Amino acid sequence: SVSSSFPFSLLSISSRKQRKNTIRDGFEDILEERRNSSDLKYALRCYAPVLYKGVTPCKANMLKNIVLQSDQLRYVINQVSQESGEAPDIIQEEASVILEEMAHRLQISTVRFFAFALSKAFKTLFQHVCVNEEGIQRLQQAIQEHPVVLLPSHRSYMDFLLMSYILYTYDLALPVIAAGMDFMGMKFVGEMLRMSGAFFIRRSFGGDKLYWAVFSEYVKTMLRNGFAPIEFFLEGTRSRTCKSLTPKLGLLNIVIEPFFKGEVFDVNLVPISISYERILEESLYARELLGVPKPKESTSGLLKARRILSEDYGSIHVYFGQPVSVRSLAQGKVNRSTYNLFPRHIPRKPMEETQSFVNDTAYRIVRLQEDNMVLKPWVLMASLLLQNLEGMELSVLTEQTVWLRGLALSYAAFLDWPDHAPTAKVVSSSLALHRGLACVSGGRVSLVVGEPLGPVTPEEALFNRAVSVLSCASYRNQVLHVFLRPAMLAVAMLHLSDEVYNCFSFLWDMFSNDFILCPGDTVQDFEEACYLLVKTGAVQMPQQDIVMTDIGQPTLSFFNGLLEPFLQGYQVVCRYLCEEASEGLTEKQYIPAVRSFHSVLCVFTGNLRCYEVLSSDMQKNALAALLRMDAVRKVKVADQVTLIVNKMAVNSIDDILGKNRMISHINQTQISPSLSLVAVAEDLCRDGLTPSYIR
């Protein structure tokens, strides 16, 4: 029995009506027709999409002229001219060059080429590409009524190609897509992408006022006139971990602003969930997280990647969510009348209530993406295997997968489990598809570790094992949003304190960079966690207590194991900052230093096997949490950012996370620096792969 101080009435939970499981649309496999008809006829068929209010598609040159002649851009050009002392004509020419570099040149002939080529590729790579046709119908209606912004999840380079392919298949208006400058450097392919609707933007603008003005006006012009749906990724980049990333607000601010200024009646935001049964980049992502730099986008690299065409990547599910009306969301939250106090063409910094609204909207959209992610049996199996790194009996894995399936379904997970198929067949099929990650030997299932060509050092063995674990974790991470809230409550009950709500709130704050936790929703999330654990019989809640039931132990233990890598990982970071970090530790040195420290813990003590702390993603998120909690500060000295550690605060956080049950102190200074992952990195250098932390 664990007592707590609850911020709400327990009676509201105990008497709550059963929540209805979300009613979701069914799917249609768009590859089925492609396998039975001509790809050439498909690519050359009549394509006549219905546009917003029947507008005529705008040619690229006309769009550029509208942008360059806009009042907002002219205002900024005059501002920059006054600040720099250069003539407005020179600044105007600079703006024209920026726009020329940025703008798309959508051509239907290029789209048809991609339609043909992608049909061939998709039929080779994937068993099925499934789309919810009801979502397509909703999108078709939305496009005709108001400007539309498509917001897909982002797990693979395949995402934006897949989106255009689906819209072409259903005769919908093709989107214009925000793409990183990296792709523009690809000979031939970069221009092909531009002619299929991509517009290229820098990863960061710095303080370049002119670039921001050109970019924002270009996007807003397309949105105001409804020339095409605008597509971008709220997360800003591909998620290497397959967890949803904290949303970036820049582009969302831009597409919502015309509504605030009364330039459009409404804007429809469409959350889209793209779920891959097997991710094309799975092993590449694991190595990137361990410090091996991302291969530069190039045409030659694309051609070398043709070998993936011999692999089976299972199925893709694409779910087009219910369009979200910005007008409805903003009602009662944003006072738009304040925008009438200034001329529309004068750029203004968003007000605090506007920023709060945009931030809240971004989180809500990502949550909607998560809710409609389709989960395959393998994500459940991966979750179990990662809690049993020594391996599991196949029969036990099968039995526990069935148990976990029931738990996931009771929590309204969107699970794609083959109908009428024996469980043993479902499990064996999943193992066959993911044979690069797990294998069966002597009736036991274990993770596959890459076989070295010769003898390996302990550090190389650690690196190879970490690649295996992180690759598998990318699938477990896909189900975390389903279990996260009850899992945090389980950890608070089993390990941290009698004050359950306070501990839950601490974990909620600590992990808010690792997971999508909507700002201000702590109480709501705690209430949901209590409800779900009560619903599945894991706990009871008499009076002011949370009591684990006789049948609750397996559930709470599983949830504790689910979050254990994150708890351990954050502890390792805390221990490093308290005991090993030098006073002049720079932000740039932080990640390789934590990796080196942890490799020593693993290799020379054997008492810690938290491979996921070697991931740069976890290290960055742990640091972000400590910065937010004022346990670490950043101080800029010259051109470097130094980390100032409040060791008392970090020690306190370490204690809360369970310091005493984990790791013992090691004086790293007594161990040769060569005995770390740096040795592995040097070997990779000899193979032409230079990890960022030793460059």
Side-chain angles (χ1 to χ4, degrees):
S1 172
V2 184
S3 64
S4 183
S5 176
F6 294 115
F8 56 87
S9 170
L10 290 179
L11 292 174
S12 68
I13 288 184
S14 59
S15 63
R16 183 193 302 257
K17 292 181 180 179
Q18 287 285 320
R19 298 179 186 177
K20 293 181 180 178
N21 284 344
T22 305
I23 299 175
R24 300 184 176 99
D25 303 332
F27 288 95
E28 294 293 330
D29 179 12
I30 63 174
L31 288 188
E32 186 175 346
E33 184 180 346
R34 296 277 49 76
R35 297 188 196 280
N36 298 311
S37 59
S38 165
D39 291 330
L40 187 59
K41 283 185 179 179
Y42 161 75
L44 297 178
R45 68 189 175 84
C46 176
Y47 172 68
V50 177
L51 299 177
Y52 168 53
K53 294 184 177 177
V55 300
T56 304
C58 180
K59 292 187 177 179
N61 287 336
M62 184 186 298
L63 179 59
K64 290 179 198 171
N65 288 334
I66 294 172
V67 173
L68 291 172
Q69 293 169 16
S70 69
D71 290 339
Q72 180 167 326
L73 186 55
R74 287 175 179 272
Y75 179 86
V76 173
I77 285 171
N78 289 330
Q79 262 194 333
V80 174
S81 173
Q82 292 172 9
E83 292 169 3
S84 65
E86 293 184 324
D89 288 348
I90 295 175
I91 307 299
Q92 176 85 13
E93 185 59 32
E94 286 181 25
S96 181
V97 170
I98 290 170
L99 189 57
E100 188 65 29
E101 176 189 65
M102 179 186 299
H104 76 81
R105 290 196 292 271
L106 183 62
Q107 294 182 11
I108 190 61
S109 57
T110 306
V111 171
R112 293 187 187 280
F113 168 78
F114 270 117
F116 178 78
L118 289 175
S119 288
K120 298 293 186 188
F122 287 164
K123 287 188 291 185
T124 302
L125 288 168
F126 304 108
Q127 298 170 14
H128 310 282
V129 174
C130 302
V131 179
N132 65 320
E133 292 195 337
E134 290 91 341
I136 291 291
Q137 292 166 10
R138 291 192 294 263
L139 176 59
Q140 187 175 40
Q141 184 66 32
I143 287 174
Q144 297 176 56
E145 294 174 349
H146 303 292
V148 164
V149 179
L150 304 176
L151 300 170
S153 56
H154 199 17
R155 303 290 181 270
S156 171
Y157 275 144
M158 193 66 71
D159 294 334
F160 63 89
L161 296 172
L162 183 63
M163 285 294 301
S164 295
Y165 181 82
I166 290 171
L167 296 188
Y168 179 80
T169 298
Y170 285 102
D171 215 29
L172 293 176
L174 291 172
V176 289
I177 309 154
M181 281 289 192
D182 324 24
F183 294 101
M184 202 174 74
M186 299 173 70
K187 293 179 182 177
F188 180 68
V189 174
E191 280 307 303
M192 291 286 288
L193 292 173
R194 189 192 294 275
M195 290 188 288
S196 65
F199 63 95
F200 298 101
I201 57 175
R202 297 174 188 170
R203 291 291 180 186
S204 63
F205 303 164
D208 194 332
K209 186 185 293 185
L210 182 63
Y211 190 93
W212 175 259
V214 172
F215 166 61
S216 60
E217 187 59 26
Y218 180 66
V219 173
K220 285 186 281 190
T221 299
M222 291 189 289
L223 182 112
R224 284 191 296 256
N225 294 282
F227 293 139
I230 294 170
E231 177 187 326
F232 62 91
F233 301 107
L234 259 181
E235 297 164 283
T237 186
R238 290 173 298 156
S239 171
R240 271 71 173 171
T241 61
C242 290
K243 291 189 282 100
S244 295
L245 304 179
T246 303
K248 306 294 187 294
L249 305 182
L251 257 169
L252 191 61
N253 262 311
I254 289 172
V255 297
I256 288 180
E257 187 180 281
F259 165 73
F260 288 145
K261 290 186 173 181
E263 296 169 328
V264 295
F265 182 78
D266 199 359
V267 177
N268 279 322
L269 308 176
V270 182
I272 301 165
S273 308
I274 306 177
S275 312
Y276 294 89
E277 185 170 11
R278 184 180 167 205
I279 304 158
L280 275 72
E281 301 99 327
E282 65 184 10
S283 63
L284 183 66
Y285 284 168
R287 286 172 168 79
E288 283 185 39
L289 291 170
L290 291 169
V292 178
K294 181 183 80 167
K296 186 178 179 182
E297 287 82 0
S298 66
T299 304
S300 60
L302 182 63
L303 293 173
K304 289 175 184 175
R306 286 178 299 173
R307 64 179 180 273
I308 69 171
L309 293 173
S310 62
E311 295 280 335
D312 179 5
Y313 288 89
S315 301
I316 303 177
H317 286 78
V318 183
Y319 193 97
F320 288 80
Q322 188 78 33
V324 176
S325 161
V326 171
R327 187 179 190 87
S328 298
L329 281 181
Q331 193 166 6
K333 296 178 181 176
V334 178
N335 181 10
R336 292 199 297 155
S337 63
T338 57
Y339 285 86
N340 297 326
L341 302 177
F342 301 88
R344 288 176 177 171
H345 67 273
I346 297 179
R348 293 181 59 221
K349 186 177 180 181
M351 296 176 295
E352 188 175 334
E353 71 169 8
T354 304
Q355 280 290 74
S356 176
F357 169 76
V358 172
N359 188 55
D360 183 63
T361 299
Y363 273 88
R364 302 294 169 188
I365 293 293
V366 178
R367 282 296 309 275
L368 289 171
Q369 290 175 350
E370 288 184 332
D371 287 345
N372 291 321
M373 285 288 188
V374 174
L375 307 175
K376 302 294 282 187
W378 172 247
V379 304
L380 305 180
M381 296 163 62
S383 301
L384 293 165
L385 287 168
L386 285 171
Q387 294 191 33
N388 298 273
L389 291 178
E390 70 286 353
M392 300 177 70
E393 293 293 328
L394 179 58
S395 58
V396 174
L397 176 62
T398 303
E399 179 185 337
Q400 292 192 8
T401 300
V402 173
W403 170 79
L404 191 52
R405 175 199 179 202
L407 188 65
L409 289 174
S410 68
Y411 287 3
F414 200 172
L415 191 60
D416 180 40
W417 190 281
D419 292 331
H420 313 301
T423 304
K425 185 175 181 181
V426 173
V427 170
S428 63
S429 296
S430 296
L431 288 169
L433 184 66
H434 297 278
R435 59 189 176 276
L437 294 181
C439 64
V440 183
S441 178
R444 286 186 67 81
V445 183
S446 55
L447 298 187
V448 172
V449 179
E451 288 294 328
L453 297 176
V456 296
T457 64
E459 295 80 17
E460 290 170 327
L462 173 64
F463 182 89
N464 292 334
R465 185 65 166 165
V467 168
S468 174
V469 169
L470 290 178
S471 297
C472 194
S474 68
Y475 292 95
R476 176 213 59 202
N477 290 344
Q478 295 176 34
V479 77
L480 284 177
H481 70 275
V482 175
F483 296 135
L484 174 63
R485 288 153 187 82
M488 288 195 295
L489 179 54
V491 170
M493 288 177 61
L494 293 175
H495 288 300
L496 294 181
S497 169
D498 288 343
E499 290 297 321
V500 177
Y501 176 73
N502 291 339
C503 294
F504 179 92
S505 182
F506 167 81
L507 291 171
W508 193 98
D509 189 27
M510 175 66 75
F511 290 144
S512 59
N513 286 89
D514 257 306
F515 308 110
I516 298 300
L517 297 163
C518 299
D521 276 6
T522 313
V523 172
Q524 182 179 321
D525 286 343
F526 181 72
E527 184 179 352
E528 179 183 330
C530 292
Y531 169 77
L532 291 173
L533 287 179
V534 169
K535 176 185 176 182
T536 50
V539 302
Q540 294 176 341
M541 300 182 65
Q543 299 178 359
Q544 290 292 312
D545 292 338
I546 299 179
V547 182
M548 183 174 68
T549 63
D550 294 338
I551 62 171
Q553 181 63 41
T555 301
L556 297 188
S557 294
F558 169 76
F559 284 155
N560 181 65
L562 201 63
L563 291 187
E564 188 69 15
F566 299 92
L567 294 166
Q568 287 190 356
Y570 279 48
Q571 276 191 268
V572 170
V573 170
C574 288
R575 178 59 63 88
Y576 168 74
L577 291 175
C578 282
E579 300 186 4
E580 304 296 336
S582 61
E583 285 191 13
L585 178 70
T586 65
E587 191 174 23
K588 198 171 183 179
Q589 294 168 337
Y590 163 74
I591 287 178
V594 173
R595 278 203 189 105
S596 182
F597 173 72
H598 184 62
S599 68
V600 171
L601 287 174
C602 286
V603 173
F604 296 100
T605 69
N607 67 344
L608 187 62
R609 280 290 181 266
C610 180
Y611 298 98
E612 292 182 57
V613 75
L614 296 170
S615 162
S616 57
D617 180 75
M618 182 176 288
Q619 293 160 2
K620 289 173 184 175
N621 289 335
L623 179 60
L626 294 172
L627 287 164
R628 189 176 57 255
M629 299 168 88
D630 295 325
V632 178
R633 289 186 301 112
K634 286 184 181 180
V635 176
K636 192 165 184 178
V637 180
D639 293 332
Q640 291 189 324
V641 176
T642 301
L643 301 177
I644 308 299
V645 181
N646 180 338
K647 295 192 176 184
M648 184 177 294
V650 174
N651 258 320
S652 176
I653 291 169
D654 188 14
D655 286 337
I656 296 173
L657 289 172
K659 171 181 175 182
N660 294 329
R661 75 179 203 280
M662 277 193 49
I663 53 180
S664 58
H665 172 67
I666 293 178
N667 186 355
Q668 191 183 7
T669 58
Q670 296 176 357
I671 302 175
S672 169
S674 65
L675 300 176
S676 68
L677 282 183
V678 173
V680 182
E682 289 171 346
D683 289 339
L684 290 167
C685 286
R686 288 192 286 273
D687 295 332
L689 299 170
T690 309
S692 56
Y693 53 86
I694 62 169
R695 278 183 293 172

